[in-house]
Amino acid sequence: MFWFKAKPRPLLLGLIFILTSVHYSFAYALGNLPAAIEQTQHSVVMLNIVKRLPEDGLDNISAQSQSGLNKLNRYFLEHFPEMGGKEGVSKITGSGFVLNHEGLIVTSAHLVKGAHSVVVELREGKTVKAKVLGVDSSTDIGLIQTQPFNSAVASPKQGALNEIKPGQSIYTIGAPFGFAGSVATGIVSAIRSTTQFLSKTKLIQTDIAINPGNSGGPVFNMKGEIIGIISQIMSTNGGSQGVSFAVSMDEVMESVSKILAQYNEAEK
């Protein structure tokens, strides 16, 4: 009789310990959030883009990559027509992050490909014009350049892909519907190798609420390290339904190197 009464007690205490540990780990992560945001917010910019969307591919990327990029463009205009203009001209708000003090900014290819003009709005409200250096449509990564930044605009440290785990707390800073500097939190849902739009990249699936204006914005872990760039959502109504995807930084940096090499070669 005593054995049956006493035996569950260690099990119960163990369960309480596990649940308490998880609770405090989650609380600790969220407790670090204000400090992480303070550390990273100046590296995030808002982009105001004017462009005419191409009907056909305008470069020599693969047909599969071009098809995926066109799907993203069409999806955006179909679900958010109020963001568009007349005769195929569209005015789009997006996000990006500062790569270095020389004025390089990483964003999404589907935002800046074919752009007529790109204006960058910094955290302090200052606006500067930017030039599109190129895009890598296979990963939906675009690279633009503006004037050099001051020392207050620091590029965040990059987090390693092999350290990203499902259930890990993360956050993004972006400009949903033009509200610059907006923070949204969530977790890593999974690591994917392909989605409906992109088939040649490593994607971080999240449950962060992503809306128009978040595309191109960075995703951070709770240490303030950048782990990915927001690319797309899956949705039946055009709004956030808890399934969003970010291109991992390993892929981002490979694309940046490729874009810079192509740009420098073309400038010779």
Side-chain angles (χ1 to χ4, degrees):
M1 180 70 71
F2 178 78
W3 184 84
F4 286 104
K5 287 183 178 179
K7 187 64 176 178
R9 184 176 179 83
L11 296 177
L12 178 61
L13 290 175
L15 179 59
I16 292 173
F17 174 78
I18 292 173
L19 293 176
T20 302
S21 298
V22 171
H23 170 76
Y24 279 112
S25 295
F26 184 68
Y28 176 77
L30 291 183
N32 284 344
L33 184 57
I37 293 170
E38 181 66 26
Q39 174 184 334
T40 55
Q41 61 185 354
H42 291 288
S43 66
V44 184
V45 298
M46 183 171 76
L47 308 181
N48 292 301
I49 303 152
V50 176
K51 63 188 288 191
R52 184 182 298 276
L53 297 179
E55 295 181 0
D56 301 305
L58 297 182
D59 54 20
N60 294 322
I61 63 174
S62 70
Q64 183 182 41
S65 296
Q66 181 65 60
S67 175
L69 191 60
N70 286 343
K71 282 182 181 180
L72 283 171
N73 286 332
R74 288 196 300 270
Y75 179 88
F76 186 90
L77 289 183
E78 287 170 5
H79 288 87
F80 305 101
E82 71 280 3
M83 303 286 285
K86 297 180 180 180
E87 299 179 354
V89 175
S90 116
K91 298 179 181 178
I92 302 172
T93 298
S95 301
F97 88 95
V98 175
L99 185 63
N100 57 35
H101 288 155
E102 296 175 2
L104 289 178
I105 295 172
V106 177
T107 185
S108 291
H110 73 267
L111 291 176
V112 298
K113 179 179 172 62
H116 174 69
S117 68
V118 180
V119 175
V120 176
E121 182 175 322
L122 304 179
R123 176 73 179 175
E124 60 269 23
K126 179 182 178 182
T127 60
V128 290
K129 292 182 178 180
K131 175 183 180 181
V132 179
L133 299 187
V135 300
D136 182 354
S137 298
S138 66
T139 55
D140 192 31
I141 293 300
L143 187 65
I144 63 176
Q145 181 159 30
T146 183
Q147 65 190 42
F149 298 109
N150 60 40
S151 58
V153 182
S155 178
K157 181 181 177 182
Q158 181 179 331
L161 179 63
N162 60 8
E163 295 180 0
I164 303 171
K165 306 297 181 184
Q168 177 182 350
S169 295
I170 53 177
Y171 70 96
T172 186
I173 304 176
F177 301 106
F179 292 103
S182 297
V183 177
T185 62
I187 63 168
V188 173
S189 301
I191 305 297
R192 304 287 184 192
S193 59
T194 182
T195 69
Q196 178 182 350
F197 298 123
L198 298 174
S199 60
K200 295 184 178 181
T201 189
K202 296 174 184 175
L203 295 165
I204 303 166
Q205 181 184 334
T206 86
D207 69 346
I208 297 177
I210 299 301
N211 293 289
N214 279 117
S215 287
V219 177
F220 301 98
N221 61 26
M222 290 301 170
K223 294 187 289 185
E225 298 171 336
I226 185 169
I227 62 172
I229 298 296
I230 293 293
S231 176
Q232 59 184 273
I233 65 171
M234 292 296 179
S235 174
T236 58
N237 59 16
S240 176
Q241 292 184 298
V243 182
S244 57
F245 297 91
V247 180
S248 72
M249 285 306 296
D250 292 30
E251 297 278 358
V252 170
M253 296 312 296
E254 286 185 15
S255 293
V256 167
S257 296
K258 185 196 314 187
I259 293 169
L260 283 175
Q262 292 173 345
Y263 177 79
N264 291 332
E265 182 65 26
E267 290 293 297
K268 288 182 179 179

